[in-house]
Structure formats: structure tokens, C-alpha cells
Amino acid sequence: MPEALQSLIDKLQGEVVDEAQAKADAILAEAETQARQRLAEATAEAGRLRADAERDAGLARERGEQALRQAGRDLLMAVRRGVEDVVMALVRTSLAETLTPETLRDMLLVMAEAYARRSGPERRMSVLLGEEDREKLAHYYADEYRQKLGEGIDIRLGRDIEKGFRVSMTGDHVEHDFTLNAIAAVLSEMLRPELAKALSVDGSAEGPN
């Protein structure tokens, strides 16, 4: 083979190899560039997902803590209401046992004396009693009241009265409520702050939420 032809062949082979190598280098460089870009995108996406996950976890933790705090407050309020109900029931029971006909008699006699001193014996006192107490007091004590008040006393039935009495002075528009419900309501208002304080976590009274 002539040297000129061999030289041409070698030259062509060299150019083909160089071109192939250049293309290979370009493809490799492009692949590396795309790989770095995709890696950067993947890293950024992973960072975003991690940040979102951390934020969601933080929100979930905060919501969980809030739910636990609310559940604790709800439990405390339920316990407090339950204890208050028990205490108020005990108060009503104790009052019902205390407001005997004899106790009511003594209270009414004291009030009759006080009214007589303030307004004179010409005033008439009206008393509303529950059915059971009215039957026990009406006849026996009428004379004793009459000694205190010249005009005497009206003892009538108060159909809404369980225990205790309401008393008023005719013409004075003065009425006092010593019924079981009225006394229990007053005691409840007095006891409730102390109960709330005793049942609170830190020892301080808290109102309902």
C-alpha cells in the first residue's frame, strides 16, 4: 500500500477517533451536568420535604399538647362539677335535716319578736310553709305568735316550699326567704370559690373555661 494512502487512512482514523472521543467527552460532561442538577434538585426537594415534615411534626406536637392540656382542663372541670354536686347535695340534705319544725318555730318566734319591736304589735305576720311543717306548726304555735304580735300570724301553705318558710309583714312589703332552696343557693355561692380553690391544680381558684 502506498505510503500516501496509508497516511490518509491513519489521518482519517485519527480524526474519527478524536471526533468520537470529543462526542463521548461531551456526552459525559452533559451527563455529569444533568446528574449534578438532578442531585441538587433532589437535595433541595429532600430539604423541603424534611422542613415540611418537621413543621407538620411540630404542629402535630403542638396540637397534641394543646389537646392534652384541654383534656386535663376538661377532666378537672368534670371532677370539680362532680364534687360540687356531691357537696351541694350534702348541703341540701343537711339543711333538710336541720330545718325541723322545732327549728322553724324558734326562727319564727325570733322574727316575730323583731317585727314587734320594729313595727309594733299591730302588725300582722304572714308565713308560708311546706305542707308537712304547716300541719305541725299551724295550730300549736298560733297562740305563741299571738303573744308576740297582737294581730297574730297567718300560717299558710306554700305549695312550692319543700322545707323552710317565707315570711312577710302585711302592709310593709317586706319579705324574707328562708326556704331550703334559698338557703342552699346562698351556701352554694359561699362554698363554690373554696371548692374551686381546693380542686384546682395550683391551689388557686379558677373559673370555667
Side-chain angles (χ1 to χ4, degrees):
M1 178 180 297
E3 292 183 5
L5 180 58
Q6 183 63 45
S7 176
L8 179 58
I9 292 173
D10 292 341
K11 180 180 179 182
L12 290 174
Q13 287 178 341
E15 290 176 353
V16 169
V17 170
D18 290 343
E19 184 178 356
Q21 185 63 48
K23 289 182 178 180
D25 292 342
I27 292 171
L28 179 60
E30 178 67 19
E32 291 177 349
T33 299
Q34 291 181 359
R36 284 193 297 269
Q37 182 177 355
R38 290 174 181 172
L39 178 61
E41 291 174 352
T43 301
E45 179 67 10
R48 185 184 65 77
L49 292 175
R50 183 171 58 252
D52 289 347
E54 291 175 351
R55 184 182 66 253
D56 292 343
L59 291 174
R61 183 169 57 253
E62 183 179 352
R63 286 193 294 269
E65 292 172 353
Q66 290 177 349
L68 285 175
R69 287 193 295 269
Q70 185 61 47
R73 287 193 293 267
D74 291 345
L75 176 60
L76 178 60
M77 290 303 299
V79 170
R80 182 181 301 173
R81 284 191 293 269
V83 172
E84 285 182 355
D85 290 343
V86 171
V87 171
M88 292 309 112
L90 292 174
V91 168
R92 287 184 61 85
T93 300
S94 177
L95 280 173
E97 294 173 352
T98 301
L99 294 175
T100 62
E102 292 74 22
T103 300
L104 298 181
R105 174 203 64 190
D106 293 340
M107 293 173 68
L108 287 170
L109 284 173
V110 169
M111 297 192 72
E113 291 176 349
Y115 276 131
R117 287 195 301 268
R118 187 178 73 86
S119 302
E122 70 279 1
R123 296 296 186 188
R124 188 175 188 85
M125 190 164 75
S126 295
V127 178
L128 293 178
L129 289 162
E131 184 172 5
E132 181 180 349
D133 292 326
R134 176 178 176 274
E135 292 176 356
K136 292 179 179 179
L137 290 172
H139 302 295
Y140 184 78
Y141 295 113
D143 290 339
E144 293 209 34
Y145 295 132
R146 204 168 280 117
Q147 294 175 17
K148 306 297 181 183
L149 295 171
E151 294 273 342
I153 184 170
D154 288 328
I155 297 181
R156 293 178 289 140
L157 176 63
R159 298 190 180 279
D160 63 330
I161 297 176
E162 179 182 354
K163 295 289 292 183
F165 61 88
R166 292 193 192 95
V167 61
S168 62
M169 288 298 294
T170 303
D172 281 359
H173 305 292
V174 175
E175 181 176 289
H176 298 288
D177 193 339
F178 292 97
T179 59
L180 174 62
N181 289 338
I183 298 174
V186 172
L187 289 177
S188 296
E189 290 303 314
M190 294 172 61
L191 291 174
R192 188 166 284 111
E194 292 303 317
L195 284 174
K197 183 177 180 180
L199 292 170
S200 64
V201 174
D202 59 0
S204 62
E206 294 181 357
N209 292 330

